[in-house]
Amino acid sequence: MIAFLRGRVLDKHPNRLIVDVQGVGYEVHVPLSTYYDVGEEGADVVLRVHTHVREDALQLYGFLTALEQQVFERLIGISGIGPKLAIGVLSGIEPRELIAAVQRADLARLTAIPGIGKKTAERIVLELRDRLQQLAG
């Protein structure tokens, strides 16, 4: 399993980077916050990685901070939320703001995130309220 990448940004698109690690290019899906903070093409980058294995694909999801990765991994643990939607959530709200919204049960803030409807927002609050509390500190 790939858990960490250090290399150079070879190509950069919103929600996707190609990281050159000693001549091997890794496609890494990232939230917009990571996309904006990695620097320009050619910049050195260090990413924490979640490797997602499916029957038909192996996908890498990268994060600049441990908090982003931890929130992502808790989101994909919710029934009905896959990695693509979890990246979308983290692209629509900063991790600390998401934690605060879940603790307040702020459904209006959660449904303002593209791709999150009322039922999904309710499920996020219900399933993550206790599990995100330890990350808030």
Side-chain angles (χ1 to χ4, degrees), residues 68-132:
E68 276 183 330
Q69 183 179 13
Q70 291 166 345
V71 170
F72 171 85
E73 289 172 348
R74 281 168 175 77
L75 283 168
I76 63 173
I78 298 173
S79 175
I81 297 183
K84 187 175 178 181
L85 183 55
I87 286 289
V89 169
L90 288 172
S91 292
I93 189 170
E94 290 292 322
R96 293 214 179 278
E97 187 181 347
L98 174 65
I99 292 167
V102 167
Q103 289 175 337
R104 291 189 316 265
D106 187 349
L107 297 180
R109 177 61 186 107
L110 295 174
T111 56
I113 301 167
I116 300 296
K118 186 176 182 215
K119 286 186 178 187
T120 303
E122 289 170 346
R123 200 168 341 137
I124 289 171
V125 168
L126 179 68
E127 294 196 29
L128 292 188
R129 184 176 280 169
D130 295 332
R131 294 193 301 179
L132 288 180

Side-chain angles (χ1 to χ4, degrees), residues 10-66:
L10 182 66
D11 197 15
K12 182 178 173 183
H13 300 284
N15 290 86
R16 186 176 69 86
L17 304 173
I18 297 179
V19 179
D20 177 349
V21 179
Q22 297 182 354
V24 178
Y26 292 89
E27 180 181 54
V28 185
H29 302 277
V30 296
L32 287 175
S33 54
T34 295
Y35 167 79
Y36 289 123
D37 290 343
V38 295
E40 296 304 313
E41 291 177 8
D44 289 332
V45 66
V46 175
L47 293 174
R48 296 168 172 274
V49 173
H50 173 86
T51 303
H52 187 76
V53 180
R54 290 190 336 216
E55 187 175 297
D56 61 341
L58 182 132
Q59 297 175 315
L60 304 178
Y61 295 87
F63 311 93
L64 284 176
T65 68

